[in-house]
Amino acid sequence: MTATASRGPALLSAAAMIAAGIAMSIQGTTNGHLAAALGHGLYSAFISFTGGFVVLCLAIPFAPAARRGLGRAWQLVRRREFPWWMLTGGIGGASVVIAQSLTVPLFGVATFIMSFVCGQLLGGIIVDNTHLSPGGRRAPSVPRVAGVIIVLLGVVVSSSGALSHGVPLWAPLLPLTSGALTAFQQAFNGSLNTASRSAFAATFTNFLVGSLFLFAAAVLVRLSGVPISGFPQLPGQWWMLIGGVLGVMYIGFSTVAVGRLGVLLISLLALFGNLLGSLVIDLLFPVGAAPIGPQTFIAIGLVLLGVVVASIQRRQRWLEDDD
């Protein structure tokens, strides 16, 4: 096999993750607006995530391969050949839409993305250093650790600008935590994809578990006395409801790509798409109290520098594989 042919699937996976990152930045905007319409971020998170689950359910009757994959996944769990606790990756996905709904209205998409990806990189280093990742263990290296530190500095710069506009201290920590959880989510989903030979089974399980988790959380919020203020008026605000479809795109792409690229690298590639999409959105359709300013561009520059530094070792491995 030629070097170009062997590198093709990796490049295709990389392009898919950039597209998934752009989709995630759009999802953050839609979920933020939906939260404002419904009166609470958890209501928005439940509707967004469940929308993705409904889309997957509608696809099952028309996809025999998806049904076979679900059957294989169920048999693996029933025979205890796949650990049941690795089915909980959807909770990590649920934490993302919760963080989006609660924090994007406070400081916009760009700051959310940078805080989120910083957590994802930290989680990626941890997960890649274990045997949880389907692609095998990838030990931490000086470039990877240095890259994450630079990214963290960029998040600090970005968050300081947001905090100066009255954003509460907990707000940047929420997407950071959800980012760390998604590193485990990607590893769990990727492992189920590998074991069942079905990306659909892994994605479906992810959305099923996440939807159940968010349903329970939304019920608790409602019982606490927080009313649902109203649903968006269709078709004028139909775009508020596409977050679930975009989530399916992100989870599906990352589930397939993680086995080839590893958790850390797919996080870096998604970051590029995140930054591109979020910066355009915040410039054209500003959301939140913290406006785009010089600190935002400085932070983005630091984050991209961290991405380059952290990916040095992996790019060298590609070159070695080509030789």
Side-chain angles (χ1 to χ4, degrees):
M1 182 179 294
T2 66
T4 301
S6 63
R7 190 168 52 191
L11 292 177
L12 183 60
S13 296
M17 286 311 303
I18 292 173
I22 295 173
M24 185 179 178
S25 66
I26 300 172
Q27 183 191 47
T29 301
T30 61
N31 287 347
H33 282 282
L34 186 59
L38 297 180
H40 197 282
L42 271 170
Y43 298 149
S44 167
F46 170 68
I47 289 179
S48 174
F49 211 85
T50 305
F53 178 64
V54 170
V55 169
L56 292 172
C57 288
L58 293 175
I60 290 177
F62 307 99
R67 296 196 297 272
R68 290 193 296 270
L70 286 171
R72 285 193 297 270
W74 165 248
Q75 291 300 322
L76 287 170
V77 176
R78 188 180 65 84
R79 295 195 299 260
R80 299 184 180 180
E81 297 175 10
F82 188 85
W84 66 266
W85 51 268
M86 291 190 79
L87 302 177
T88 60
I91 296 176
S95 73
V96 177
V97 291
I98 291 174
Q100 287 174 336
S101 300
L102 294 177
T103 63
V104 168
L106 294 176
F107 48 49
V109 182
T111 299
F112 168 85
I113 290 298
M114 284 183 281
S115 296
F116 169 81
V117 174
C118 180
Q120 199 174 35
L121 296 184
L122 291 171
I125 283 185
I126 296 172
V127 172
D128 276 350
N129 194 39
T130 69
H131 294 287
L132 294 175
S133 177
R137 182 175 179 270
R138 293 176 172 87
S141 62
V142 173
R144 286 187 171 206
V145 174
V148 171
I149 292 174
I150 295 172
V151 169
L152 180 59
L153 179 59
V155 173
V156 169
V157 171
S158 175
S159 298
S160 64
L163 294 174
S164 67
H165 288 81
V167 174
L169 181 61
W170 60 264
L173 297 179
L174 191 58
L176 187 142
T177 302
S178 70
L181 290 176
T182 58
F184 290 88
Q185 174 198 23
Q186 290 164 348
F188 291 175
N189 291 346
S191 295
L192 183 57
N193 171 46
T194 300
S196 66
R197 305 190 306 280
S198 173
F200 184 92
T203 305
F204 181 88
T205 303
N206 176 91
F207 275 86
L208 171 62
V209 173
S211 295
L212 292 174
F213 175 81
L214 286 170
F215 174 74
V219 168
L220 290 176
V221 171
R222 183 66 188 90
L223 292 176
S224 70
V226 179
I228 301 177
S229 60
F231 290 92
Q233 299 299 313
L234 299 179
Q237 295 176 303
W238 61 269
W239 53 270
M240 288 188 186
L241 304 177
I242 66 172
V245 177
L246 296 172
V248 170
M249 176 180 173
Y250 182 85
I251 298 301
F253 285 178
S254 62
T255 296
V256 174
V258 67
R260 179 171 294 277
L261 303 179
V263 174
L264 181 63
L265 188 55
I266 68 172
S267 300
L268 297 175
L269 292 165
L271 171 60
F272 180 80
N274 289 159
L275 291 177
L276 179 62
S278 62
L279 184 58
V280 171
I281 289 171
D282 277 352
L283 286 174
L284 298 180
F285 310 101
V287 178
I292 294 292
Q295 77 282 350
T296 303
F297 293 97
I298 294 173
I300 289 176
L302 288 170
V303 170
L304 290 178
L305 176 61
V307 167
V308 173
V309 172
S311 61
I312 287 175
Q313 186 180 36
R314 183 67 185 181
R315 290 188 292 107
Q316 287 178 341
R317 186 180 303 172
W318 279 1
L319 294 175
E320 292 169 359
D321 288 344
D322 290 345
D323 293 339

